Amino acid sequence: MITPRVEVPFLQYLDEKGAPIAPLPDWTANPDILLHYYRQMVLARVVDQKAIALQRTGQMGTYPSCMGQEAVSTVFGHLLQHDDVLVPYYRDVPGQLQRGMEIEDIYLYWGGDERGSARPSQRKDFPNCVPIATQAGHAAGIATAMRIRNQHNAVLCSCGDGATSKGDFLEALNLAGVWQLPMVFIINNNQWAISVPRKLQCGAPTLAQKGIAAGLPCVQVDGNDVIALHEAIDQALQHARCGKGATVIEAITYRLSDHTTADDATRYRPSEELKQAWLKEPIKRLQTWLHQNDHWDEGKEQQLQEEASAKVQKAVENYLNTPHQPISELFDYHYAEIPPGLESQKEEALSRMTGQAAGQESSI
Amino acid sequence: MSEQRITLVEAVNQALHYSMTHDDNVVVLGEDVGTNGGVFRATVDLKEKFGLKRVMDTPLAETLIAGISIGMASQGLKPVAEIQFMGFIFAAYEQMISHAARMRNRTRGRLTCPMVMRAPFGGGIHAPEHHSESTEALLAHIPGLKVVMPSSPRRAYGLLLAAINDPDPVIFLEPKRIYRAVKQPVPDDGKELPIGTCFTLKQGDDITLVTWGACVKETLEAWQQLKQEGINAEVIDVATIKPLDMDTILASVSRTGRCVIIHEAARSFGVGAEIAAEVSSQAFLSLEAPVRRLTGYDITMPYYRMEHHYLLSSKDIVQAAKETLEYQ
Ligand SMILES: Cc1ncc(C[n+]2csc(CCOP(=O)(O)OP(=O)(O)O)c2C)c(N)n1
Ligand SMILES: [Mg+2]
């Protein structure tokens, strides 16, 4: 029998308890980056939990939590340079917060307001992509633009494990191989696509190996280990920026939350599996390492939690106090210039609304 | 025979159970349709009852879901594929338009495509972007496809049974805003309702209100308000967009002389335009006022914080009806 032989390296530095299982890279000797990662993950979790609370109290719509996946997005958010481009998926709050999105933008977007994706500080990054995997093509296009213009930057495209089953993902991988595009594909393998487990998505032992068929280097990393993630992503980004082409990184994580606030994972997911996954989550793991290496203590932890809560509270207030958009904005952004027919529909909408209760125009 | 009162989504589920019980060729596939029973619970308990071979959780790939449905249908199975939201149906279009719609014609009937593609559609449930579209016109435009949109539990049950047994591909669009809006007794008797026939929900001689999908709810509310003011409106649920039953609509308009078409989808190039064109040309001499379209605007469905500015209310319908009645 011919058995498929592929080798996909697996990268990990810290075990579940935060103890090194391999000599740590030199950059970890200075704890600044790791402290930044820790603070960013903690902030992201507070942002995330508040989003869920807002949804539960009717102040926000359906929200997909990133709980358990903070490390991946935190690390690439830090490693991406100013002129690199992020093409995220919908669980990338930690990365987005480092790329020019404000916390209130996150709440606005998930609160059903287009202006969450509008802040100029988001530069050329793409907004959240809801139709699964379709962002992979955009990322390849951005990379193509960089190639045409001889820009030494990279595009990072993030997606879930389910997304790797779509043609869009595979087509983009293929192109990245053919044209040697400056890209990094990050698969957040959180083991589930709503209720569909990883093993029902793909018969291959790893998702990273989809890159092999496209001629791309690929690696699996422990997605709860910021050091491993930093190593893999940093190398892949440098590789891309200096013209050596794309890399596929499969980050092994776990979706600690329901799929979204509209989902109930107890219908399909064994509670024991969830319990085991909690033992591996990224924040506790890094915290333990920082403690053990005297970079962290209870006082700092308390201060950080207080700062994060205050920041988030302020953002919630800004979000809740943001007035609704004027109705005209629903019409004004479809074309550079509004066509006459649409202009008259806009008039129609404006006059229709003058007849409606003024209450609808107030804040949420 | 159950006389329990059930919702529209429960009626979909009941029809699927009935079909799978009585016809081994019926299979169900899609994302999260198995253990989870579908994100709206339309496929609940099917996996438990009929097993993994007939109830398939597919990988996340809409092109594939459509493609394998066509393949299975060509072999005599009757696949019922679920697309989780209409906003994600677009990847399936190539397969539906280039293959499902054409298989019978290309092979002069040697191969056919008796499949159903179900998808929840429409706004008003405070969902994220891409979860609130109404793009029925894009599908109705394609020769070879049928497009059915039930708007009550009974019509959902009877029309889904008919869709499953239809010899051609049927797109079955479920108005999710009213998935749980009303309950009706729906006898589980396997009785189909006809595809290609409008349903006249209220009879009246003053004006014809033509609608489908979730807008049926607001239109019936408007009917009530008009009635209180002494206006008798006829309410027609089109139910099958393609093939369109113009006879029922024309018969009504030739009596009332006035017609308002109400739909949630954007106005331009919509199904309303098709109906208005047919009414204008075929009932021209009966018309006492221009045919009026009351629809969504030609804009992307706003994110949900502003979607109420897009959606139609019964008040809008009452107003449009009165303006059409007052036309001299
Ligand atoms: C094209 C498309 N089909 C279906 C959906 C509905 N949907 C939203 S998220 C999701 C599962 C995605 O799983 P995965 O890629 O693993 O990402 P995760 O949510 O687990 O992070 C599905 C099916 C969608 N958004 N887009
Ligand atoms: Mg996943």
Side-chain angles (χ1 to χ4, degrees), chain B residues 102-117:
Chain B
R102 291 168 174 242
M103 192 60 82
R104 178 186 296 279
N105 186 57
R106 289 173 70 209
T107 63
R108 288 295 181 261
R110 179 174 61 82
L111 296 176
T112 61
C113 192
M115 66 173 284
V116 177
M117 177 168 278

Side-chain angles (χ1 to χ4, degrees), chain A residues 317-328:
Chain A
E317 279 161 28
N318 291 345
Y319 159 65
L320 294 176
N321 291 326
T322 304
H324 279 193
Q325 300 173 73
I327 290 164
S328 55

Side-chain angles (χ1 to χ4, degrees), chain A residues 61 109 113 195 334 345 352 364, chain B residues 32 129 298 300 304 311 316:
Chain A
Y109 175 81
D113 192 319
S195 72
H334 283 73
Q345 288 191 14
R352 174 174 168 230
I364 292 172
Chain B
D32 305 286
E129 60 174 333
D298 289 330
T300 303
Y304 73 80
L311 295 170
D316 297 316

Side-chain angles (χ1 to χ4, degrees), chain A residues 64-65 69 89-91 129-134 159-166 168 187-196 201 207 255 259-260, chain B residues 31-32 39 60-62 65 83-85 87-91 129-131:
Chain A
S65 166
Q69 292 171 238
Y89 93 129
Y90 46 81
R91 290 191 215 278
C129 184
V130 174
I132 300 291
T134 49
C159 68
D161 44 298
T164 66
S165 298
K166 269 195 95 198
D168 308 66
I187 305 163
N188 290 261
N189 177 359
N190 63 8
Q191 313 306 326
W192 292 89
I194 311 187
S195 72
V196 180
Q201 288 296 343
L207 297 174
R255 195 192 78 207
H259 171 68
T260 64
Chain B
E31 294 157 10
D32 305 286
V39 296
L60 202 169
E62 283 77 9
I65 291 170
I83 299 292
Q84 208 159 76
F85 287 87
F88 308 131
I89 207 170
F90 302 107
E129 60 174 333
H130 300 286
H131 289 72

Side-chain angles (χ1 to χ4, degrees), chain A residues 95-153:
Chain A
Q96 288 171 321
L97 289 178
Q98 296 172 84
R99 294 286 299 169
M101 260 182 115
E102 299 291 334
I103 299 170
E104 64 213 63
D105 296 343
I106 308 273
Y107 294 154
L108 274 174
Y109 175 81
W110 294 107
D113 192 319
E114 289 84 349
R115 289 171 299 181
S117 304
R119 192 180 297 274
S121 58
Q122 297 170 22
R123 299 193 301 274
K124 296 286 185 190
D125 284 1
F126 262 43
N128 283 321
C129 184
V130 174
I132 300 291
T134 49
Q135 75 272 29
H138 315 149
I142 297 162
T144 303
M146 289 173 174
R147 187 166 163 268
I148 290 170
R149 292 174 168 163
N150 289 317
Q151 259 172 272
H152 296 289
N153 297 110

